[in-house]
Amino acid sequence: MQAPAYGGVPLQFRARTERVAALVELLSAICPGGKDKESKAASLFMSAEGVRVTTTNVEMTLMSTAWAQRSLFTEYEIRDECFVCLPLTTLVDCLRIVGSDTKLHTLLELQLESESAPLVLLIHEGDNAITDCAIRTLEPTPALDFVFDSSDVVVQVVMQAAALHDALAELELSFGSEVRIDASPGSEDSSDPPSLVLSARGDAGSCEYCFPHVG
């Protein structure tokens, strides 16, 4: 569907959603913190299926992607696929302000005139209040291209992200930034189940987290 024109200029992308909190939670999961907070732009790719947001760390060793599916939006109109870069922290901060008052009915509208134009956020709060802000897009940054051939995969682990986050945070806080990761396929007789082990050593001693396969 072609996005409508505003002020005589056709939009390349336009979307509306009332689920602002869900969008904030989704983007916050990949929003860099610490020394990366202001240093990296996020890449936004809009297509007919939804919006893919990708960011990398300073060392260009970690790529994080969030996928806002089309179903997240009540209205979704796009003229052509488009790709823009912008500071993700700025976008998340703006959205957090929008969704801070849960007593008001909030409707968020995203507009993009072209890949070189600012991303415009129109915020409808209650019956009368309308706020708009424009986030200037940046020059595209080199993207990481992690290509994983399925034939080369030795082990694959699916687990709760919160458990992994807590373990890594504790190891880094207590023993520094180097963590050893061991994945065991388990024994053939099932007496020793498959497991993922995170361990670290430091002046204070050593620590190990073991996540056995369940199910």
Side-chain angles (χ1 to χ4, degrees), residues 2 10 20 47 50 70 72 77 101 105 129 159 175-176 184 191 195 198 205 207 209 215:
Q2 178 171 319
V20 181
S47 67
R70 185 168 181 159
L72 182 67
E77 299 165 339
D101 193 342
H105 174 73
M159 63 182 298
F175 300 96
S184 170
S191 60
S195 62
L198 307 179
C207 182
Y209 282 88

Side-chain angles (χ1 to χ4, degrees), residues 95-115:
L95 293 176
R96 281 175 176 156
I97 294 174
V98 173
S100 60
D101 193 342
T102 57
K103 296 180 181 179
L104 293 177
H105 174 73
T106 303
L107 175 67
L108 170 69
E109 180 172 336
L110 304 174
Q111 296 181 3
L112 185 69
E113 180 181 316
S114 68
E115 291 185 338

Side-chain angles (χ1 to χ4, degrees), residues 27-50:
L27 296 180
S28 295
I30 65 167
C31 190
K35 63 180 181 180
D36 285 351
K37 187 173 182 181
E38 302 293 345
S39 59
K40 281 293 176 181
S43 302
L44 277 70
F45 176 69
M46 294 87 157
S47 67
E49 289 74 32

Side-chain angles (χ1 to χ4, degrees), residues 9-203:
V9 179
L11 295 175
Q12 192 162 350
F13 169 78
R14 172 179 174 269
R16 282 188 165 197
T17 182
E18 297 176 354
R19 300 174 61 186
V20 181
L23 188 58
V24 171
E25 183 177 0
L26 178 68
L27 296 180
S28 295
I30 65 167
C31 190
K35 63 180 181 180
D36 285 351
K37 187 173 182 181
E38 302 293 345
S39 59
K40 281 293 176 181
S43 302
L44 277 70
F45 176 69
M46 294 87 157
S47 67
E49 289 74 32
V51 181
R52 187 182 69 223
V53 185
T54 304
T55 186
T56 59
N57 64 344
V58 171
E59 294 81 9
M60 297 292 286
T61 58
L62 175 66
M63 179 175 67
S64 303
T65 300
W67 178 250
Q69 298 185 18
R70 185 168 181 159
S71 58
L72 182 67
F73 304 91
T74 53
E75 296 180 29
Y76 193 93
E77 299 165 339
I78 186 167
R79 183 155 48 98
D80 295 301
E81 291 183 349
C82 46
F83 175 86
V84 297
C85 290
L86 50 77
L88 181 60
T89 303
T90 302
L91 175 59
V92 171
D93 287 345
C94 290
L95 293 176
R96 281 175 176 156
I97 294 174
V98 173
S100 60
D101 193 342
T102 57
K103 296 180 181 179
L104 293 177
H105 174 73
T106 303
L107 175 67
L108 170 69
E109 180 172 336
L110 304 174
Q111 296 181 3
L112 185 69
E113 180 181 316
S114 68
E115 291 185 338
S116 59
L119 177 68
V120 176
L121 282 67
L122 291 178
I123 302 141
H124 305 258
E125 294 181 294
D127 297 327
N128 301 313
I130 300 178
T131 305
D132 69 274
C133 58
I135 302 176
R136 182 173 61 88
T137 54
L138 308 173
E139 289 294 327
T141 56
L144 292 177
D145 186 16
F146 290 130
V147 179
F148 297 102
D149 188 342
S150 59
S151 63
D152 295 332
V153 175
V154 178
V155 62
Q156 179 174 325
V157 178
V158 179
M159 63 182 298
Q160 292 289 335
L164 180 61
H165 174 274
D166 291 345
L168 290 173
E170 179 63 27
L171 291 173
E172 181 180 16
L173 178 63
S174 303
F175 300 96
S177 58
E178 293 187 6
V179 176
R180 175 171 173 168
I181 302 176
D182 294 292
S184 170
S187 59
E188 294 183 358
D189 60 3
S190 301
S191 60
D192 183 19
S195 62
L196 176 71
V197 179
L198 307 179
S199 58
R201 294 180 178 275
D203 296 337

